[in-house]
Amino acid sequence: MRGKILFASFLLFSLPIFLNAQGFGTGIEVTVSPSSPRPQEAVTLRVQGFSFDLNRAPIRWFVNGELRKSGVGEREFSTTAPSLGSSLRVEVLAENPNGDIVSASTVIQPSEITLLWEAETYTPPFYRGKALPSHSSTIKVTAFPNFGAGTNPNTLIYTWRQDGVVLGSKSGTGKQTLILRGTRPFSDTSISVDVSNQSGSLSGRGFLTLSPKNPEIILYEEHPTLGVLLERALQGEFELPRSETTLVAYPYFFSGDVRSNPSLEYKWSLNGSETNTDASDASSITLRHTGEGGGTSSLRLTIQNAQEILQSAQRQLQISFGNQGEQSRF
């Protein structure tokens, strides 16, 4: 896979627990913000009650059984999420007007969910960059959860969302990889995944943003003995080094994995008039200077993906040859 780590996420098991002293209606609830903190991230916990005024109640906060904060109306408590592989149990006790003690607790257990993505678009051999997604291209996103030793990712439940909408058919147990075709035209697409174990005692979320890229055409010279000179992209103006020179087009970020994808339509024109190319390879053109003197000509290439209307690109190059002052006779 040629993807790379785009986002490191985390895990939080934070389910409120209600302990009632005298039955229904006397409990309290503790919430955590942010709801999914990163390891070593600052965390704020808040307690709220349903039947008495906590602003007037004595409140005590405990972390792993150790008293950390106490006082009347102390409804808020701040701490730091532990490192990866560790957990914190935070418990809050409050005294109601009758003198009864009610409590709630939560467990903060950070983890990591790494998302890797890969676009199935074309780049040339030995290209050092990353194949980028273009409009309507296929993208593969894989979640790598780390809930500690002994957790099998194939037994975890994955809930995938695209732009906030649950992808039900692509979610479920062991569905670690999401394959989607296309992003929203001309705008970013958000991808998120919620991962949990079967009991729900472990959970976490990862997310990333995919930005579609317009396909590009890069032209290169094909040398008679050295082959395609991929180290030198042709831009602006190109002077023919020989009486016969072949130029090769590379369709960056179009769907597919080969330059000669049959879905790609290549249209070359010279000085505004369509010109013929080698029928066996429409992605290249051979230019010949047959007259005397010199001049310039305007070469234009348009590539259109016949199956994806939003995948198209153009490239123009000024071709100069010989001495200036005479029209092209290609």
Side-chain angles (χ1 to χ4, degrees):
M1 176 181 292
R2 292 185 293 171
K4 62 181 180 181
I5 294 177
L6 236 288
F7 183 85
S9 188
F10 36 82
L11 171 148
L12 171 68
F13 169 46
S14 179
L15 299 177
I17 299 176
F18 305 95
L19 301 180
N20 297 329
Q22 293 184 339
F24 181 80
T26 62
I28 57 175
E29 176 185 2
V30 63
T31 59
V32 181
S33 179
S35 59
S36 298
R38 297 177 176 88
Q40 302 298 322
E41 185 177 9
V43 177
T44 300
L45 298 95
R46 295 179 178 86
V47 63
Q48 64 182 38
F50 305 100
S51 61
F52 62 97
D53 186 4
L54 285 171
N55 293 317
R56 301 174 182 273
I59 298 174
R60 290 176 291 172
W61 293 90
F62 295 83
V63 176
N64 291 339
E66 179 183 346
L67 179 64
R68 293 290 184 86
K69 187 177 183 179
S70 64
V72 175
E74 294 288 355
R75 299 182 58 183
E76 188 173 293
F77 174 68
S78 297
T79 188
T80 301
S83 58
L84 185 64
S86 302
S87 64
L88 292 180
R89 177 180 175 83
V90 180
E91 185 178 21
V92 57
L93 280 70
E95 183 178 339
N96 66 19
N98 297 326
D100 298 318
I101 303 297
V102 293
S103 67
S105 65
T106 188
V107 175
I108 303 173
Q109 186 176 351
S111 184
E112 290 182 341
I113 297 179
T114 301
L115 295 184
L116 303 181
W117 64 268
E118 179 182 18
E120 295 183 3
T121 56
Y122 178 79
T123 56
F126 310 110
Y127 178 64
R128 294 184 179 181
K130 183 180 179 66
L132 301 177
S134 57
H135 304 296
S136 302
S137 63
T138 298
I139 305 168
K140 181 168 66 174
V141 183
T142 303
F144 292 91
N146 182 359
F147 288 170
T151 303
N152 184 351
N154 294 325
T155 65
L156 300 176
I157 301 172
Y158 300 82
T159 303
W160 292 95
R161 290 179 173 83
Q162 181 176 355
D163 296 321
V165 178
V166 174
L167 304 176
S169 62
K170 301 178 184 296
S171 301
T173 301
K175 294 191 175 182
Q176 189 176 359
T177 297
L178 169 69
I179 297 178
L180 61 136
R181 182 178 172 274
T183 57
R184 291 184 299 177
F186 315 112
S187 61
D188 294 343
T189 294
S190 65
I191 301 297
S192 66
V193 61
D194 291 314
V195 186
S196 64
N197 59 2
Q198 297 292 329
S199 66
S201 61
L202 298 175
S203 63
R205 171 174 291 185
F207 62 90
L208 58 83
T209 299
L210 296 172
S211 300
K213 169 76 173 178
N214 291 325
E216 295 183 24
I217 301 172
I218 306 297
L219 297 175
Y220 302 94
E221 176 191 354
E222 184 173 8
H223 192 275
T225 58
L226 299 178
V228 180
L229 304 179
L230 292 174
E231 67 276 10
R232 181 192 174 197
L234 305 182
Q235 301 182 57
E237 185 172 336
F238 173 65
E239 183 175 356
L240 292 184
R242 296 169 296 279
S243 61
E244 180 176 297
T245 302
T246 297
L247 303 184
V248 181
Y250 280 76
Y252 281 70
F253 314 134
F254 281 84
S255 292
D257 57 2
V258 294
R259 180 165 55 90
S260 56
N261 187 334
S263 298
L264 300 184
E265 298 176 347
Y266 291 77
K267 292 185 178 180
W268 298 87
S269 64
L270 198 62
N271 295 327
S273 299
E274 187 171 342
T275 184
N276 296 325
T277 60
D278 185 348
S280 63
D281 183 10
S283 65
S284 64
I285 187 171
T286 299
L287 304 176
R288 299 178 179 87
H289 180 211
T290 58
E292 297 179 356
T296 61
S297 292
S298 178
L299 179 69
R300 179 187 294 271
L301 170 62
T302 300
I303 301 179
Q304 173 68 57
N305 188 333
Q307 297 183 354
E308 305 294 349
I309 190 172
L310 295 178
Q311 288 187 17
S312 64
Q314 289 187 354
R315 174 65 67 179
Q316 186 166 328
L317 189 67
Q318 290 297 117
I319 306 296
S320 63
F321 52 95
N323 298 320
Q324 302 300 309
E326 185 174 322
Q327 294 297 314
S328 167
R329 297 180 64 184
F330 288 120

